[in-house]
Amino acid sequence: MRDFVYTSQPQRVVFGAGSLQHLAREIEALGARRALVLSTPEQRGQAERVAAMLGAHAAGIFDRAVMHVPIETAREAREVARKLGADCAVAIGGGSTTGLGKAIALDSGLPILAIPTTYAGSEMTPIYGLTEAGLKKTGKDPRVLPRTVIYDPELSRSLPVGLSVTSGINAIAHAAEGLYAQDSNPVMDLMAQEGIAAIARALPVIRRQPDDIDARADALYGAWLCGTVLGNVGMALHHKLCHTLGGSFNLPHAEVHTVVLPHAIAFNAEAAPRAMALIAKALGAESAPAGLQALARDNGAPVALKDIGMKAEDLDRAADIAVGNPYWNPRPFGPAERDAIRALLQRAFDGDPPR
Ligand SMILES: NC(=O)C1=CN([C@@H]2O[C@H](COP(=O)(O)OP(=O)(O)OC[C@H]3O[C@@H](n4cnc5c(N)ncnc54)[C@H](O)[C@@H]3O)[C@@H](O)[C@H]2O)C=CC1
Ligand SMILES: O=C(O)/C=C\C(=O)CC(=O)O
């Protein structure tokens, strides 16, 4: 048994089909009286339903959440929260909406109640991201960790199949990198393996039967576990590449994770053999990188960056940005590894098998 440090995060989780019905109870438990409801424009209808359930405790709705939290949107939402005298943010949606709640909390300390409708896992982390002048910066702050999370699988039934698959693989990425994180621990290892397995068994069912509530619950349970892993240990190469591609080239977050993950895992294979074995076992595959690419391909998800909006002429700049400010990784990837990272990005661009 290796030495480790484990810090539990103060959060309350309410899980189950129909659990949105407990919203008023949970807002009361937070001691909040004026909740600002956040959503994307596409999820305005769900935000209105939430506001109606809150009744007099709803201060208003801000429905302009977008991916990667542009600093301008964050400033606008902070101002709305201030003007309305909000004492809580209720974020209903995926990682973009939770991320906007985090941007408000970072500035004001407002508690967040998150109602996740994708599998991104942001609701379980103290990690925030803000994009300014084409560069995405991430940071950690305990103020942005949602205090309460309501996981209601009913709400994810409407998530399109394509996004369900890529979002599920986004969650798997958190667990996969958690298994070789510098600061990993046995509790996170258990959650990572269980989280990967839950999502891997849910995705093929969701693809065939998008409204299967048991599969939706499995996927959300997996997202909770994988998000918890991300919130407790450090990110490595894979997340760095995705933040570079998403933040600087505005590629869709979950799709980028889906395409890059097999290649980033292959890059680390020799340096992290134990993690490889655990990932493969959780997937029910012979090899971790090949198993991850098969999970995407077999469920109709993209496997090439060129198919999700990346331009070939931007690959050099992406490699430069990624190695310019590297995260810790079992196989270092600073400027000396620039050619290897560029080659990895080329394989991901073309949709080649990972190696
Ligand atoms: N800080 C953290 O720990 C993490 C942050 N993120 C951040 O989250 C963002 C991506 O979040 P995602 O969840 O991938 O996408 P998203 O939140 O941008 O949602 C994608 C689209 O799907 C729609 N949608 C979401 N749930 C739906 C549902 N149930 N039914 C119908 N439509 C639905 C949204 O309205 C949006 O139009 C990125 O900015 C990423 O950086 C992602 C993971 C962890
Ligand atoms: O890449 C991820 O899925 C995890 C973390 C982030 O996206 C950081 C953020 O922008 O909030």
Side-chain angles (χ1 to χ4, degrees):
M1 174 63 65
R2 62 193 189 278
D3 296 348
F4 62 90
V5 174
Y6 170 72
T7 309
S8 64
Q9 313 254 27
Q11 280 189 295
R12 176 173 164 89
V13 169
V14 180
F15 192 102
S19 56
L20 186 60
Q21 65 181 303
H22 302 306
L23 177 63
R25 179 191 79 193
E26 294 304 322
I27 284 287
E28 202 172 312
L30 280 176
R33 303 233 164 277
R34 290 186 60 74
L36 175 62
V37 182
L38 306 172
S39 74
T40 60
E42 297 80 19
Q43 288 179 276
R44 170 90 197 184
Q46 284 179 325
E48 283 174 359
R49 182 178 163 207
V50 161
M53 291 173 80
L54 290 170
H57 291 328
I61 296 176
F62 183 90
D63 69 358
R64 292 196 287 285
V66 287
M67 218 167 263
H68 306 308
V69 197
I71 188 73
E72 299 77 15
T73 312
R75 287 189 184 125
E76 211 185 323
R78 286 168 179 170
E79 183 58 15
V80 169
R82 199 188 54 74
K83 276 197 180 141
L84 290 173
D87 61 3
C88 166
V90 174
I92 175 150
S96 298
T97 307
T98 309
L100 183 61
K102 290 177 170 184
I104 297 173
L106 186 66
D107 183 56
S108 61
L110 284 196
I112 301 170
L113 185 151
I115 309 168
T117 62
T118 70
Y119 309 125
S122 174
E123 65 282 354
M124 296 311 294
T125 84
I127 302 167
Y128 62 88
L130 285 167
T131 303
E132 187 165 12
L135 270 191
K136 177 163 178 171
K137 291 197 181 130
T138 60
K140 271 191 179 182
D141 192 308
R143 279 180 304 176
V144 310
L145 183 75
R147 302 267 182 92
T148 305
V149 181
I150 298 181
Y151 282 111
D152 185 343
E154 296 281 1
L155 300 172
S156 59
R157 272 177 151 164
S158 56
L159 188 64
V161 167
L163 190 50
S164 300
V165 174
T166 55
S167 186
I169 296 175
N170 180 193
I172 287 178
H174 306 331
E177 288 226 303
L179 285 166
Y180 53 60
Q182 193 179 21
D183 51 356
S184 72
N185 64 64
V187 178
M188 291 306 126
D189 283 1
L190 287 173
M191 288 191 168
Q193 292 169 75
E194 173 77 356
I196 294 171
I199 292 177
R201 72 175 171 257
L203 295 185
V205 184
I206 290 173
R207 186 164 188 228
R208 286 193 304 275
Q209 193 65 48
D211 65 352
D212 185 307
I213 196 67
D214 292 332
R216 290 291 185 182
D218 253 358
L220 213 47
Y221 165 66
W224 168 38
L225 296 174
C226 294
T228 303
V229 174
L230 177 68
N232 278 271
V233 301
M235 298 180 278
L237 170 69
H238 168 73
H239 282 79
K240 178 67 192 184
L241 291 174
C242 293
H243 296 168
T244 301
L245 295 167
S248 299
F249 305 95
N250 203 27
L251 299 189
H253 182 82
E255 285 90 333
V256 169
H257 268 273
T258 301
V259 172
V260 170
L261 186 61
H263 302 282
I265 294 297
F267 183 92
N268 285 330
E270 278 184 26
R274 177 179 165 274
M276 297 302 129
L278 295 177
I279 296 165
K281 189 171 171 211
L283 291 170
E286 281 188 14
S287 131
L292 289 165
Q293 198 175 57
L295 182 67
R297 183 178 276 125
D298 294 351
N299 288 293
V303 293
L305 290 176
K306 66 180 180 203
D307 295 336
I308 60 167
M310 186 70 187
K311 296 196 189 88
E313 59 266 31
D314 285 335
L315 290 173
D316 279 330
R317 194 156 65 90
D320 290 340
I321 297 172
V323 302
N325 181 19
Y327 299 166
W328 180 90
N329 192 58
R331 174 179 165 191
F333 67 99
E337 293 280 339
R338 198 255 177 212
D339 289 349
I341 294 299
R342 177 63 179 79
L344 182 167
L345 288 173
Q346 187 68 50
R347 284 194 294 282
F349 181 81
D350 293 327
D352 286 345
R355 65 180 165 79

